[in-house]
Amino acid sequence: MTTKGNYLGEFEELVLLSATSLTDQAYGVSIMQDIIKETGRNVNISAVHEVLKRLERKGYLKSKMGGATQERGGRRKRYFILTASGKKTLEEAMKLKIQLYKRVPNFSLKPI
Amino acid sequence: MSVHPPSWPDRFLAWYCNPELLEEIQGDAHELYFERLKHEGKRSADLKYVWDVLRFFRWSNIKRENEYLPGSLGAHWGLNFKMSVRNAGKNKLIFGVKTLGLSICLAFSILLAAFIVNELTFDQFNSNYDRIYRVALKINFKDHVTNYAVSPLPIGEALKEDIPEIQNYFRFMYEDKPIFRIDENVFYEEATLAADSNFLKVLTFDFIKGDPYSLNGPDKIVLTETLAAKFFGDEDPLGKSVEFGQSFLLEVTGVIKDVPANSHLQFDALISWETFERDDAWGNLNAYNYILLKPGATIEEVKKKMPSVMEAYNEMILRDYDATFETIFQKITDIHFSEYQDEDIAQKRNKSHLFILIAVVVLFLMTGVINYLNLTLAELTANSKKLEF
């Protein structure tokens, strides 16, 4: 399966960061709720699944099925963990942005 | 647990979803459902559940990635394709030879198959081809038998009047040495038929100009597209005059598309029947007669009801020629493969020659495929030795 370049899309970056911050509790619903809570956006679960699949294909996330659960009818959750290449990509994305912001003269990140 | 998500979207999800993804997707959807049930009530939870199921309905969740389906563009297909491309690159000579061989073999087979199909579909461009029969004659002389493609001029009309199963008939005669004159130009190589007005109604030809009634009345001529271009170039041929023979001035009343290659009758021009004075007698054995049966009627019924006028005719033949005759009905699609008949102008072919050709094509195809397989297997054996399987 090929991927369209190795850069991160905006929503991909959000999901990747959210999955990272949730450490060992990162699965579809928790990531979605985290993003809704932090950004206030209206996010659909299917979009989150789509991006998670894509990030795993690009090698930024690893996944494994968790144990059986009591809620959700005994269905298992798929947990996502950041990979080394995912970490590197996140850092590079951050670095690139800071580098670009620094070029702007007299630019303040504080709200006016 | 008494409350659960609405069952029909749940079933829909289970139906379309890739089984490998179903557990996590359904799990997440159910978890969200029960959470919303707590905070927003059943109605809202139900609606949002349906919405989630619909949003999950996308190709990446539907496709079965690691499942091998024969003929699908699955992972195995991609792998095989990649392997064959790499092998081709490795042994360019063998690949070139075997591909070229198979291509030539297939191209030749397809070409011959097209010819065979053309032969086997003779006259089937006529919309009523299963109901059109040619009336031919078999005359038993004292010492020999002769088959004629022609029959007496009045036979079509007589059969139609006496046998209710016959819907229509037409007849035409072959103009032996036609000479056309337009201004100063003379043409004398055109296959020309003098056809009655039913000719274009029973047979199916595509009209570019005019209609199936173009041969009604005397001094009319219908041309094929090619002949019209030859006679008049780019000018509109309709209404133009053509001199025919010594004493006829014909008016062009129609232009048809060229006669299909798989028609047993090949002609360039049709002159209306009434143009010429004919000896419309039973002794005049010069017309090609065809009948069209009514839908559902069979030729056996027609044969049983051969009218009494034929008996009188048989008596005349017996008296004048010391012979007896039989009328033969040939289905229009059988004429191409029928045996030799005197006076016939139909395109004919011996069916056994066609069968020989079919055998040759099959043999040729088999040889080509076996050759290809042979080279491939030889290559494979060589490779497996290298890999020490």
Side-chain angles (χ1 to χ4, degrees):
Chain A
M1 192 60 71
T2 55
T3 51
K4 295 172 197 163
N6 284 323
Y7 52 84
L8 274 177
E10 194 261 355
F11 190 61
E12 284 178 353
E13 195 177 351
L14 272 183
V15 171
L16 195 56
L17 280 169
S18 171
T20 314
S21 66
L22 287 165
T23 57
D24 60 343
Q25 282 303 313
Y27 69 102
V29 173
S30 69
I31 293 169
M32 183 190 92
Q33 285 167 340
D34 186 53
I35 293 174
I36 291 175
K37 197 180 83 197
E38 295 294 329
T39 66
R41 292 192 202 177
N42 189 13
V43 180
N44 189 277
I45 181 69
S46 67
V48 176
H49 270 251
E50 202 59 27
V51 169
L52 283 172
K53 256 185 281 180
R54 204 181 307 150
L55 288 172
E56 191 176 5
R57 221 159 50 214
K58 287 182 179 178
Y60 303 154
L61 288 175
K62 266 187 321 199
S63 76
K64 63 169 196 283
M65 297 302 277
T69 46
Q70 280 300 312
E71 72 269 36
R72 48 195 268 164
R75 292 183 185 85
R76 292 175 298 162
K77 299 166 179 172
R78 183 179 284 280
Y79 289 108
F80 291 87
I81 305 156
L82 190 72
T83 65
S85 114
K87 189 162 179 277
K88 202 172 128 223
T89 309
L90 272 179
E91 280 166 357
E92 272 170 11
M94 195 65 206
K95 229 188 278 173
L96 177 68
K97 262 181 222 156
I98 290 171
Q99 183 193 325
L100 290 177
Y101 277 120
K102 278 182 180 164
R103 297 189 313 164
V104 185
N106 306 325
F107 187 81
S108 168
L109 284 177
K110 285 173 200 136
I112 306 161
Chain B
M1 208 182 326
S2 58
V3 200
H4 48 79
S7 68
W8 66 266
D10 215 31
R11 279 205 307 273
F12 178 56
L13 178 71
W15 172 70
Y16 73 67
C17 190
N18 182 352
E20 292 192 12
L21 299 175
L22 182 63
E23 187 172 2
E24 52 193 281
I25 287 178
Q26 208 171 26
D28 280 6
H30 279 215
E31 187 177 335
L32 284 169
Y33 174 80
F34 288 116
E35 200 149 308
R36 286 168 185 152
L37 196 66
K38 252 187 273 167
H39 297 112
E40 303 171 28
K42 184 163 165 52
R43 191 177 155 70
S44 169
D46 278 359
L47 282 176
K48 283 184 174 165
Y49 183 76
V50 171
W51 178 238
D52 279 347
V53 167
L54 290 178
R55 290 291 300 268
F56 270 120
F57 186 70
R58 42 175 98 193
W59 180 237
S60 65
N61 294 332
I62 297 168
K63 70 171 181 219
R64 273 60 164 162
E65 217 160 85
N66 299 317
E67 201 176 322
Y68 177 65
L69 296 170
S72 75
L73 297 177
H76 287 250
W77 194 89
L79 191 66
N80 286 340
F81 184 75
K82 206 182 270 179
M83 272 166 65
S84 58
V85 169
R86 284 179 187 170
N87 278 335
K90 233 176 273 170
N91 303 306
K92 288 196 185 65
L93 181 69
I94 294 181
F95 176 75
V97 167
K98 70 182 187 186
T99 310
L100 192 71
L102 192 66
S103 314
I104 292 174
C105 165
L106 282 178
F108 200 62
S109 304
I110 290 169
L111 196 70
L112 286 177
F115 174 75
I116 290 166
V117 167
N118 178 64
E119 286 292 309
L120 292 175
T121 55
F122 248 70
D123 291 298
Q124 288 183 12
F125 65 89
N126 290 299
S127 51
N128 298 321
Y129 68 85
D130 52 341
R131 293 193 279 130
I132 303 172
Y133 288 81
R134 179 164 82 173
V135 186
L137 280 189
K138 181 178 173 188
I139 299 190
N140 306 303
F141 294 100
K142 254 194 173 159
D143 47 351
H144 65 279
V145 177
T146 307
N147 282 299
Y148 290 97
V150 287
S151 44
L153 263 64
I155 199 170
E157 196 175 0
L159 290 175
K160 195 204 164 197
E161 265 172 30
D162 288 4
I163 303 175
E165 277 81 8
I166 297 175
Q167 182 180 324
N168 208 345
Y169 74 97
F170 70 86
R171 56 186 172 174
F172 62 88
M173 281 166 75
Y174 182 68
E175 291 300 323
D176 228 1
K177 292 186 176 65
I179 300 172
F180 292 100
R181 206 172 285 118
I182 296 156
D183 302 328
E184 294 306 304
N185 302 319
V186 182
F187 304 88
Y188 42 81
E189 285 174 337
E190 284 64 39
T192 307
L193 306 179
D196 71 2
S197 55
N198 289 329
F199 185 93
L200 291 171
K201 290 167 202 160
V202 176
L203 298 178
T204 312
F205 292 108
D206 294 330
F207 279 85
I208 296 168
K209 301 221 161 88
D211 52 41
Y213 300 96
S214 299
L215 287 176
N216 289 13
D219 301 328
K220 306 278 163 64
I221 185 167
V222 170
L223 309 173
T224 60
E225 200 179 358
T226 308
L227 188 61
K230 190 173 165 188
F231 277 3
F232 303 107
D234 294 335
E235 293 171 60
D236 183 6
L238 224 55
K240 287 250 168 35
S241 297
V242 182
E243 264 183 77
F244 179 73
Q246 296 298 319
S247 51
F248 297 101
L249 191 63
L250 308 174
E251 183 200 355
V252 179
T253 51
V255 178
I256 57 171
K257 283 220 173 110
D258 285 349
V259 179
N262 59 353
S263 164
H264 78 282
L265 282 176
Q266 292 292 330
F267 56 86
D268 300 311
L270 297 170
I271 299 175
S272 63
W273 181 267
E274 285 97 341
T275 309
F276 309 99
E277 293 280 320
R278 305 283 188 198
D279 177 16
D280 210 0
W282 281 87
N284 191 351
L285 272 181
N286 283 311
Y288 301 88
N289 288 283
Y290 291 70
I291 53 171
L292 172 69
L293 301 187
K294 284 182 179 158
T298 63
I299 198 68
E300 275 67 37
E301 293 170 313
V302 173
K303 281 178 188 163
K304 257 182 251 161
K305 292 182 184 166
M306 285 304 281
S308 52
V309 63
M310 304 303 286
E311 282 164 31
Y313 177 56
N314 209 356
E315 273 170 33
M316 188 201 86
I317 293 269
L318 198 60
R319 191 180 61 234
D320 290 0
Y321 298 98
D322 199 11
T324 58
F325 85 98
E326 292 165 45
T327 43
I328 309 286
F329 295 98
Q330 294 176 290
K331 203 169 180 182
I332 191 168
T333 48
D334 294 341
I335 294 175
H336 180 59
F337 288 121
S338 62
E339 283 179 9
Y340 171 80
Q341 285 162 298
D342 249 18
E343 312 267 344
D344 205 351
I345 56 164
Q347 285 199 84
K348 285 196 175 180
R349 193 178 302 281
N350 192 331
K351 204 164 193 172
S352 56
H353 291 174
L354 194 70
F355 287 138
I356 292 170
L357 187 67
I358 292 173
V360 168
V361 172
V362 171
L363 212 67
F364 190 76
L365 196 63
M366 271 166 54
T367 319
V369 170
I370 288 172
N371 180 51
Y372 182 85
L373 284 179
N374 223 351
L375 286 171
T376 310
L377 287 175
E379 203 185 345
L380 199 69
T381 327
N383 281 349
S384 60
K385 262 185 196 150
K386 259 186 261 166
L387 293 169
E388 286 177 314
F389 275 162

